[in-house]
Amino acid sequence: MNDQEGSVDDLFAQLPEDGRRTLEQIGMGPQELRRMAARDGGMRRVRGVLSEFTTDPRPRRPGDDEGPRARGAVLPWVLMFLAAVAGLVLTELSTLVLYETAFLVGAVWGLCVLFAAFRTRESRGGPALRWITVAAYAALVFAGSFGTQQWYLRLRGAEQRVTIAAPLHQWAHGTRETYCRVRLRDGSVRRVLGNRENCADRAGLRDTAVVDPAGHYRPFLGTRSEIGGTAGVIVALGAAAVLVLAPVGAVVLGRGSRTRQPRAERTGGRAT
């Protein structure tokens, strides 16, 4: 018996019993493997065949079948981040027309964010960070929809004396809702932001309001210091930080966990 035949027999003997039995059933027993090894480059082909029947002692973990480059792929996470940013920009622009209901735009665009999320890799920490990113996007959509008008008026709004106009009455969900309106210096009548049912008996009286100089957002009945939204700013800043850091963390963890694995473990302990 030559060295090649001995190597083939040793490799075959190292296979689990189920692997040896399967190879013999398909006509790839030791005798056929020896003939394969005798050909040019045969040992490489023999090892390739036997590696398919070698038991992997390490339990499979998410991402193990994707390779080191795929597991640490940056592109899927970048696409998810860009989809989230695009949705937030659309939501913010929609507040100019839809005001608080702009969150519906963000919700619909959220389908694109979810699609991008499912394209990310199942690397270590990836599934959890994927949904953390989606949650951060949802938090930013709601915070932006309900807080943008307040934030803008606190930064750019101008206080002016206005006249309280006759309130607006609308039916919603079977109840009659009353909304305050004010008459601005230019003579236009605008529904106010956030104030409801506190001016029904004050029509014709003068008061202070914070007005958007560009006329995009509703005026706020009160002074600039009375405008709320601080809690929303804190939530938005936290969610924005998560939206940036979660994809970065997923990429770093995906690459780091692969780099720390010994070479033999990464190959599943298979013969080479």
Side-chain angles (χ1 to χ4, degrees), residues 3 8 11 44 56 86 101 113 133 157 216 229 238 243:
D3 292 339
V8 170
L11 292 174
R44 180 173 56 82
D56 188 349
T101 55
V113 179
T133 305
H216 298 306
L243 187 67

Side-chain angles (χ1 to χ4, degrees), residues 200-259:
D201 300 324
R202 300 172 60 197
L205 299 180
R206 301 278 291 173
D207 204 339
T208 300
V210 182
V211 180
D212 174 11
H216 298 306
Y217 294 116
R218 297 167 178 163
F220 176 84
L221 186 58
T223 63
R224 183 183 286 105
S225 61
E226 293 174 329
I227 300 176
T230 303
V233 171
I234 296 174
V235 171
L237 290 176
V242 171
L243 187 67
V244 174
L245 295 178
V248 173
V251 172
V252 171
L253 286 175
R255 287 182 169 179
S257 61
R258 189 72 183 185
T259 303

Side-chain angles (χ1 to χ4, degrees), residues 83-235:
V85 171
L88 294 173
V89 171
L90 286 175
T91 302
E92 291 299 296
L93 292 177
S94 299
T95 61
L96 295 171
V97 178
L98 302 177
Y99 305 110
E100 294 88 351
T101 55
F103 78 92
L104 295 174
V105 175
V108 172
W109 187 267
L111 297 176
C112 298
V113 179
L114 285 175
F115 177 78
F118 284 115
R119 302 285 293 177
T120 58
R121 304 295 181 179
E122 296 283 340
S123 58
R124 176 178 295 180
L129 291 171
R130 166 196 298 166
W131 298 118
I132 289 174
T133 305
V134 172
Y137 168 78
L140 282 169
V141 165
F142 279 92
S145 299
F146 292 95
T148 297
Q149 298 176 83
Q150 295 175 327
W151 306 337
Y152 182 86
L153 289 177
R154 289 184 67 176
L155 292 174
R156 300 290 305 276
E159 293 184 4
Q160 66 174 247
R161 298 292 289 177
V162 296
T163 302
I164 298 178
L168 174 68
H169 301 289
Q170 291 181 339
W171 288 90
H173 307 290
T175 60
R176 187 170 181 263
E177 302 287 355
T178 301
Y179 299 92
C180 294
R181 299 191 302 173
V182 295
R183 186 179 303 277
L184 305 181
R185 290 177 181 173
D186 60 5
S188 62
V189 176
R190 298 287 303 274
R191 174 181 157 184
V192 302
L193 170 66
N195 299 97
R196 178 184 296 181
E197 299 179 358
N198 66 344
C199 59
D201 300 324
R202 300 172 60 197
L205 299 180
R206 301 278 291 173
D207 204 339
T208 300
V210 182
V211 180
D212 174 11
H216 298 306
Y217 294 116
R218 297 167 178 163
F220 176 84
L221 186 58
T223 63
R224 183 183 286 105
S225 61
E226 293 174 329
I227 300 176
T230 303
V233 171
I234 296 174
V235 171

Side-chain angles (χ1 to χ4, degrees), residues 33-68:
L33 292 174
R34 292 193 203 102
R35 282 198 291 267
M36 183 184 297
R39 301 167 191 161
D40 185 27
M43 281 303 296
R44 180 173 56 82
R45 288 194 292 270
V46 168
R47 291 191 181 98
V49 171
L50 297 181
S51 67
E52 299 298 323
F53 297 87
T54 300
T55 299
D56 188 349
R58 176 175 57 87
R60 185 187 181 280
R61 292 181 294 198
D64 282 354
D65 58 346
E66 299 173 6

